[in-house]
């Protein structure tokens, strides 16, 4: 009985011993790798540097005085020349006396100052006067500024130069710099203010963009919403096959419509008229659509009217974008200090013009996929098994081949492959063949969990994106759109999508199932269920998380400039590199104030809402 | 007429919740479903409108096989089957009126409903239904400001918006006190008698069953163990349904 226990305890001790050994090695290696060197911080040179930095940081350059420069000259002959009589020194105010007042090259002169203010600092210069020098130059005499004693006097023994002889009187000059007037905000403070405003707005725009995109994505990443989305294999394949087609058709169609609207928008009044007319028609169509209709062709009619309304709406948006761009540019010129309002209109309109075709691509893709998969799903259910099998096989083969070809085409372009046709065609055919085999093996009626596939893809992408720090992302964006706040906005927005997407979808997963059940039971469709049962439940946590993210983004935006992303971080980095610690200090104070204020404010808001 | 044929449900975790259940419900009948906790009552009700997907068997309503209906048709079927729940399942942050209107979602134009717009007729209908269940004055309160009994009335009004022919009620009074329980049951009975709505209602208390139901079926571990008139449930039957050691209360 005691034997095995004993043995076990020996093993245990050994195991503990080895574990301790391993831990020791890990830490030893860690110290080595991180170059921990306790001697470094003790070196005098480094301590002096540290003192420098701390002193600089302790005296932020918040305010500056206007400086007045007082110059007090005393004549000097070098070398001595009896022919020249030096003028007397005015002793009414501050003055300096030279003994002797003539000296050989390289000789010594004692400079005595009188009537100075105690505690002032004085800089001493030598003013050579030579034919070769046209302007007055000041050559520094003393290495360090001289301090005036409590009696208002100072003495300094100056060693003269050997290279500036002259027949005319030269001079020694004492310079006192005096602050005058009231202190005023320093230039650093003004720059800091500009940049801190930029920083806060950078965070705002990034949070807004990121949130807007994270919300729809979070639904795709919520298990409880996606788990019951299923469809037969054949209809998924049809959807996949139609996806690129829909994307291209949508993109082309929207570009064309936008161009059409844009053409009209070139002239202001006709453009405005056309805009009004098209908005009115779209409105009329929507009213027509909202009527309940029954009958055989009701769905077809509704669909047709809807499509017409959508196309007209795109045309109107294209028109609006062009008009907006023109309006924005115009306002920028006439608004003066409020030109940024014009810029806002310009940016929004420009954004609209850019995203319209992309939106078209997305909508086309979505429409084709959902129509294709639901129609083919119906067909597959109603038709004979052999037909269903054949249909599935064809759809799968084509979908596999087309998607593989597109993907490989992209890779061929990226790596500039030599023979793109062969590089693409052969594997695409192979993928098609594989899909054919798979489609023959699967049960065509059996539903495939599409929702879970989408869920997993979404979560994977979000996790991958989240693991890349915005400070790294911004480097890539700075290369793409140039160094500046725009790159910072994009990097932060992307990271916000990834971060919030996950947090949001977890909130969706946490909501009560009951209301969803109840709304589904009324015969509501999926979208209606989301709007009526999901969204009301997620609004409070979504707001809380958005505020939390806004906090993070403000913090991030203060340093995103280190990576070229604009904002105050850019200034901090610059000043640190130039060893201008007093200026960097101002920026650090600004960052502290902004972060603390927004922290406090958002905590308050969160308390209110949740 | 609603026909349930050989209905079996096996959950993903291999729990056999319904085991070959068959019965028919005539139009206008008030049928109670009884059984122990975990006997499969909720599962049965949810299989009828396919909130839970049955594993085997059929639910046929007026000749239409609900279990085989594709998603789009299922929506049209669901909107004629109202449902109320033990936990009321209201959207608590929304107003009572919005909750009631959401019962109309199967009928309205999907586009309009997304921006919370309902035709005037629907809003009037919602007010009328709230009137009918006696809480018209609460229309603009938030749902979570209401008491349990009031919330269940909202649930009933929501179901009424569907113009239902069948009402599924899953333990509608289990979280209410006896007085409220009777008032809710009276509303259901009234709907059953005045509007001819068939009611399938799971219940825990036999006195409620005997007072309100025309017929009762009982489940035990997913198997049907009784199908008959409520008054036929005597002590002997009771022990068959609820197990040897059970004591009658109420
Ligand atoms: N979603 C689910 N996944 C797995 N098992 C489930 C699920 N829902 C219910 N079950 C199981 O199925 C069985 C029947 O449950 P059901 O909820 O239908 O019973 P019930 O009669 O309504 O019980 P109660 O009176 O407590 O509401 C139980 O054993 C339960 O654990
Ligand atoms: Mg139950």
């Amino acid at each position: 009985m005691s034997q095995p226990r004993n043995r076990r305890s020996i093993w245990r001790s050994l195991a503990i011993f080895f574990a301790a050994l391993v831990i020791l090695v890990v830490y030893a290696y860690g110290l080595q790798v991180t170059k921990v060197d306790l001697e470094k911080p003790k070196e005098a040179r480094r301590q002096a540097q540290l003192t420098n930095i701390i002193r600089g940081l302790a005296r932020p350059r918040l305010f500056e005085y206007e400086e007045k420069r007082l110059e007090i000259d005393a004549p000097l002959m070098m070398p001595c020349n009896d022919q020249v009589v030096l003028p007397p020194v005015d002793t009414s105010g501050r003055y300096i006396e030279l003994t002797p007042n003539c000296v050989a090259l390289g000789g010594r002169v004692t400079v005595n100052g009188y009537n100075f203010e105690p505690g002032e600092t004085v800089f001493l210069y030598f003013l050579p006067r030579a034919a070769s020098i046209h302007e007055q130059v000041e050559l520094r005499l003393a290495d360090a500024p001289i301090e005036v004693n409590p009696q208002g006097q100072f003495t300094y023994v100056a060693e003269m130069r050997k290279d500036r002889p002259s027949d005319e009187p030269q001079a020694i000059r004492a310079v006192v710099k005096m602050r005058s007037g009231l202190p005023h905000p320093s230039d650093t403070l003004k720059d800091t203010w500009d940049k801190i405003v930029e920083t806060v707005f950078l965070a705002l725009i990034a949070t807004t963009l990121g949130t807007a995109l994270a919300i729809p994505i979070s639904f795709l990443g919520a298990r409880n919403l996606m788990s019951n989305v299923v469809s037969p294999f054949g209809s998924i394949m049809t959807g996949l096959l139609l996806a690129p087609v829909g994307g291209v058709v949508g993109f082309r169609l929207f570009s064309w419509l936008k161009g059409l609207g844009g053409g009209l928008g070139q002239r202001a009044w006709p453009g405005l008229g056309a805009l009004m007319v098209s908005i009115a028609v779209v409105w009329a169509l929507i009213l027509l659509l909202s009527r309940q209709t029954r009958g055989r062709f009701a769905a077809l009619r509704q669909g047709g009217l809807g499509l017409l309304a959508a196309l007209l709406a795109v045309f109107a948006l294209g028109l609006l974008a062009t008009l907006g761009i023109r309006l924005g540019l115009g306002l920028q010129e006439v608004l003066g200090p409020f030109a940024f309002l014009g810029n806002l209109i310009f940016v929004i309109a420009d954004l609209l013009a850019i995203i319209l075709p992309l939106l078209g691509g997305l909508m086309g893709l979505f429409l084709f996929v959902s129509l294709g998969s639901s129609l083919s799903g119906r067909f597959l259910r109603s038709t004979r098994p052999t037909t269903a099998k054949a249909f599935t096989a064809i759809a799968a083969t084509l979908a596999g081949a087309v998607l593989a070809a597109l993907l490989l085409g992209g890779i061929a372009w990226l790596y500039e492959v030599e023979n793109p046709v062969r590089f693409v065609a052969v594997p695409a055919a192979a993928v098609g063949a594989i899909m054919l085999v798979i489609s023959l093996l699967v049960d065509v009626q059996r539903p495939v969990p599409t929702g879970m596939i989408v869920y997993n893809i979404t979560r994977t992408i979000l996790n991958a994106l989240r693991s890349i720090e915005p400070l790294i992302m911004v480097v890539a964006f700075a290369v793409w759109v140039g160094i500046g706040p725009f790159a910072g906005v994009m990097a932060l927005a992307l990271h916000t999508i990834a971060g919030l997407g996950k947090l949001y979808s977890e909130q969706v997963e946490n909501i009560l199932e009951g209301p969803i059940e109840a709304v589904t039971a009324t015969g509501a469709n999926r979208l209606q269920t989301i709007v009526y049962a999901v969204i009301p439940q997620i609004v409070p946590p979504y707001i809380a998380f958005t505020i939390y993210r806004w906090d993070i983004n403000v913090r991030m935006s203060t340093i995103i400039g280190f990576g070229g992303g604009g904002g105050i971080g850019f200034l901090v980095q610059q000043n640190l590199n130039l060893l201008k610690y007093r200026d960097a200090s101002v920026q650090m104070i600004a960052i502290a104030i902004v972060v603390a204020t927004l922290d406090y404010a958002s905590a308050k808001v969160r308390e209110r809402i949740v | 007429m609603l026909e349930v044929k050989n209905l079996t449900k096996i959950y993903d975790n291999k729990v056999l919740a319904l085991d070959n259940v068959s019965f028919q419900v005539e139009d206008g009948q008030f049928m109670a479903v009884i059984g122990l906790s975990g006997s499969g009552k909720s599962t049965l009700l949810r299989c009828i409108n396919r909130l839970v997907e049955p594993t085997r068997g059929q639910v046929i309503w007026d000749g239409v096989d609900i279990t085989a209906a594709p998603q789009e048709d299922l929506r049209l079927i669901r909107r004629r089957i109202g449902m109320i729940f033990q936990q009321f399942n209201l959207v608590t942050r929304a107003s009572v009126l919005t909750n009631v209107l959401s019962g109309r979602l199967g009928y309205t134009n999907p586009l309009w409903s997304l921006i919370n717009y309902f035709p005037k007729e629907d809003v009037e209908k919602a007010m009328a239904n709230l009137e009918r269940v006696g809480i018209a004055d609460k229309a603009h309160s938030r749902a979570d400001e209401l008491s349990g009994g009031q919330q269940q009335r909202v649930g009933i009004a929501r179901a009424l918006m569907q113009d239902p022919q069948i009402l599924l009620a899953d333990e509608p009074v289990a979280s209410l006190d006896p007085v409220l329980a009777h008032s809710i049951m009276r509303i259901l009975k009234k709907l059953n008698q005045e509007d001819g709505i068939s009611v399938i209602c799971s219940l825990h208390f036999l006195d409620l069953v005997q007072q309100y139901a025309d017929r009762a079926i009982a489940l035990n571990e997913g198997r049907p163990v009784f199908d008959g008139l409520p008054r036929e449930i005597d002590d002997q039957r009771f022990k068959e349904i609820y197990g040897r050691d059970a004591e009658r209360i109420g």
Side-chain angles (χ1 to χ4, degrees), chain A residues 283 286-287 289-290 292 302 378 381 514-515 517-525 527-528 531-533 536 540, chain B residues 46 49 51 70 72 75 78-79 81 85 89-91 93 102-103 105-107 109-110 112-114 116 118 158 162:
Chain A
W283 183 244
I286 289 178
L287 282 185
L289 265 175
S290 68
Q292 303 270 358
Q302 299 276 74
R378 269 186 182 211
R381 260 194 307 275
E517 237 187 350
V519 173
T520 311
T522 66
N525 66 27
L527 209 56
Q528 289 173 323
V531 171
Y532 281 85
Chain B
R46 281 170 173 70
N49 63 0
L51 285 180
E72 306 85 65
R75 290 203 321 109
R78 275 181 182 157
R79 65 183 197 183
I81 305 180
F85 305 83
N89 289 354
L90 302 183
V91 178
R93 292 181 58 86
S102 71
L105 287 173
Y107 293 91
N109 183 301
W112 282 129
S113 67
L114 292 188
N116 208 348
F118 287 88
R158 173 172 64 190
Q162 296 173 237

Side-chain angles (χ1 to χ4, degrees), chain B residues 41-43 46 86 170-171 202:
Chain B
K41 303 182 295 294
S42 301
T43 307
R46 281 170 173 70
Q86 173 179 358
D170 187 11
E171 295 180 27
S202 67

Side-chain angles (χ1 to χ4, degrees), chain B residues 124-140:
Chain B
E124 281 162 6
K125 193 180 171 77
M127 291 308 294
N129 280 327
L130 280 173
E131 190 81 53
R132 201 160 172 205
V133 296
I135 46 166
D137 53 324
K138 298 283 186 200
H140 297 286

Side-chain angles (χ1 to χ4, degrees), chain A residues 117 134 150 170 204 227 242 289 292 337 398 481 500 562 583:
Chain A
E117 288 292 321
H134 300 293
Q170 308 189 70
L204 177 73
S227 62
L242 288 179
L289 265 175
Q292 303 270 358
L398 284 178
V481 301
L500 277 185
F562 278 63
D583 305 80

